Amino acid sequence: MLGSKSKNPGHYDTLISNKSEFIGDLHFSGGLHVDGRIKGNLIADEQSGAVVRISETGVVEGEIRVPNIIINGTVVGNVYSGQHVELAKKAVVNGDVHYSMMEMVMGAQVNGSLIHQGTDKNAKGRKQKEPVVDLAAETKVD
């Protein structure tokens, strides 16, 4: 199931209920579950491993900068995830999605660009090599 592999699958420290509206930037760590509306930016430190889950009733009007993001609602703004993004069936993102790893289910919508963020030079994993051009192998036609 979508979201079952997240680092914080069942515990959320903060809940914005569907009867709530939060206006302003929200800085957090841990887990944030959004059923209501947020008009502002969601920000968590990249090293925190924080998770934000936006349910199908949740709406965020602002930028999201969180390591792990699960969206099944609406986001109006750019999304930046250094670790993992999940776009569920009812997700609608009106903005660009910057990601390292992404899951996207049929039905999810992104009205913007999908921009893959490469890994750090110091990070583990597959390293990208520069293309090699063999100039000696090229033939010259007169």
Side-chain angles (χ1 to χ4, degrees), residues 8-142:
N8 197 353
H11 177 74
Y12 290 91
D13 303 306
T14 307
L15 169 69
I16 306 295
S17 80
N18 61 355
K19 297 180 181 180
S20 299
E21 180 178 71
F22 182 87
I23 299 173
D25 292 350
L26 181 58
H27 295 258
F28 71 98
S29 62
L32 171 65
H33 185 91
V34 179
D35 286 335
R37 178 179 292 271
I38 295 177
K39 292 182 179 180
N41 301 319
L42 298 179
I43 303 163
D45 182 37
E46 190 59 41
Q47 307 308 316
S48 69
V51 179
V52 62
R53 179 185 299 249
I54 302 165
S55 74
E56 64 184 73
T57 62
V59 177
V60 175
E61 296 177 26
E63 204 171 80
I64 300 176
R65 290 184 177 270
V66 179
N68 298 288
I69 304 168
I70 304 165
I71 301 173
N72 198 26
T74 303
V75 175
V76 180
N78 294 334
V79 173
Y80 298 87
S81 169
Q83 293 179 16
H84 190 244
V85 176
E86 295 181 23
L87 300 176
K89 185 177 182 177
K90 296 185 179 180
V92 177
V93 178
N94 294 310
D96 296 340
V97 177
H98 301 255
Y99 66 95
S100 290
M101 288 189 306
M102 181 171 60
E103 292 180 53
M104 188 171 179
V105 174
M106 186 170 31
Q109 298 176 34
V110 175
N111 302 311
S113 298
L114 296 175
I115 303 164
H116 182 260
Q117 304 295 347
T119 56
D120 243 15
K121 288 184 179 178
N122 297 328
K124 292 181 181 178
R126 199 167 93 176
K127 295 180 182 176
Q128 302 219 355
K129 294 183 179 179
E130 292 294 320
V132 177
V133 178
D134 186 1
L135 296 176
E138 290 183 22
T139 57
K140 188 174 183 181
V141 178
D142 290 329

